[in-house]
Amino acid sequence: MKIFCTRNFNVIHELKAKDYVTGVNWARASFSPDGRYVCAGSSDGSLFVWNVNSGSLETELQLEWTTRDSNTGVGVTVTCCLWNPNGSSVATCDRAGYLTFWG
C-alpha cells in the first residue's frame, strides 16, 4: 500500500508487512483521527497498523477466532477499516459480512 502526495503524485511511504496481502483491490484503509497511523485489513482477516511518519509496521492484530471461508478454511478478507473518532479503537468489516470492533 502506498501513501502519496496528491499535488505531485510522489510516493511518501510504501507500507509493507511480511503477512499483509490485500484480498480485493477496492479494500478501504483508514487514517487515524490524528493522522499518525494507517490501518488496513488483510486477506486472512488480520488488521495491520502502520506509523505514517516512519512507514513502519506498528502492530498486526489477529482474532482468536476468525471468520473462515467454508471452501478454503482461510480467514475472510477484511474489506474496510474505520477508526473510532476518538482514536481508541477500529471497526472492520469482512467479505462474510462480519463487523469486528478492535479495541
Side-chain angles (χ1 to χ4, degrees), residues 47-90:
L47 178 67
F48 291 79
V49 180
W50 289 271
N51 183 302
V52 170
N53 293 325
S54 68
S56 63
L57 180 66
E58 291 286 320
T59 190
E60 175 185 353
L61 302 172
Q62 297 177 336
L63 295 173
E64 289 184 22
W65 65 273
T66 59
T67 308
R68 301 282 178 188
D69 181 295
S70 59
N71 296 321
T72 65
V74 176
V76 177
T77 298
V78 174
T79 56
C80 67
C81 303
L82 186 62
W83 288 85
N84 180 319
N86 68 16
S88 65
S89 59
V90 174

Side-chain angles (χ1 to χ4, degrees), residues 18-65:
K18 177 184 162 211
D19 296 325
Y20 174 71
V21 177
T22 186
V24 291
N25 62 0
W26 45 266
R28 180 179 175 205
S30 180
F31 282 95
S32 63
D34 62 7
R36 295 175 49 202
Y37 302 97
V38 169
C39 67
S42 186
S43 62
D44 68 355
S46 301
L47 178 67
F48 291 79
V49 180
W50 289 271
N51 183 302
V52 170
N53 293 325
S54 68
S56 63
L57 180 66
E58 291 286 320
T59 190
E60 175 185 353
L61 302 172
Q62 297 177 336
L63 295 173
E64 289 184 22
W65 65 273

